[in-house]
Amino acid sequence: KNEVEQSPQNLTAQEGEFITINCSYSVGISALHWLQQHPGGGIVSLFMLSSGKKKHGRLIATINIQEKHSSLHITASHPRDSAVYICAVRSHQFYFGTGTSLTVIP
Amino acid sequence: NAGVTQTPKFRILKIGQSMTLQCAQDMNHNYMYWYRQDPGMGLKLIYYSVGAGITDKGEVPNGYNVSRSTTEDFPLRLELAAPSQTSVYFCASSYFGQGSYEQYFGPGTRLTVT
């Protein structure tokens, strides 16, 4: 049983499409993170959320604490957005989803 | 700032050998973490530290040891390498203050045990 579930596991989109990645979790949390892992393996933190919504450029992250659900949206997707997106939650420790592999085709 | 650095980048070990994965950060972060990432699986926490001299087990600590003698360094020790420890290892750090837990990750160490 995973404390963090992501969907979809894999996603292919045409350049310009609006993309949504979902994350559900089963534990009480103090914060939720969205991370991006590029094909080279490096991991970068995109957002940290404890409530509401955050926006950074074309990326938007939302969280609903009552429903234990978060979404990551990418507007006007671009091939350089191709990466694995990982949802992580902080409970008494960090728990990670298995990631959503996104490929954006030109 | 160099951020979080890890060495080596790659290593092949024989079963039963031991090694230390090095991790250092220059951001004066109090929290440091070691994760492993297996193919198709999420990151799993091995050990973490909330400050110099304090370490605690994560989800998958068996077969590993850590120490935190300084704020900057958090080495991970494998004593008797086993094929099940073949994985990519990530070190991370964060500053816990005012509820901020944003993590900064190192580039990873790819370890193969044969």
Side-chain angles (χ1 to χ4, degrees), chain A residues 60-81:
Chain A
I60 303 166
T62 63
I63 187 168
N64 185 319
I65 297 291
Q66 286 72 31
E67 294 187 5
K68 295 190 173 180
H69 182 268
S70 175
S71 293
L72 176 68
H73 305 286
I74 305 176
T75 62
S77 58
H78 190 276
R80 64 173 173 265
D81 297 326

Side-chain angles (χ1 to χ4, degrees), chain B residues 7-36:
Chain B
T7 56
K9 285 189 167 49
F10 304 94
R11 183 74 186 266
I12 299 174
L13 280 183
K14 292 192 186 310
I15 294 170
Q17 286 185 321
S18 61
M19 77 163 292
T20 299
L21 281 65
Q22 301 291 346
C23 174
Q25 53 91 11
D26 61 0
M27 296 173 281
N28 202 31
H29 285 169
N30 47 357
Y31 279 53
M32 294 187 76
Y33 314 81
W34 273 108
Y35 298 96
R36 58 178 288 171

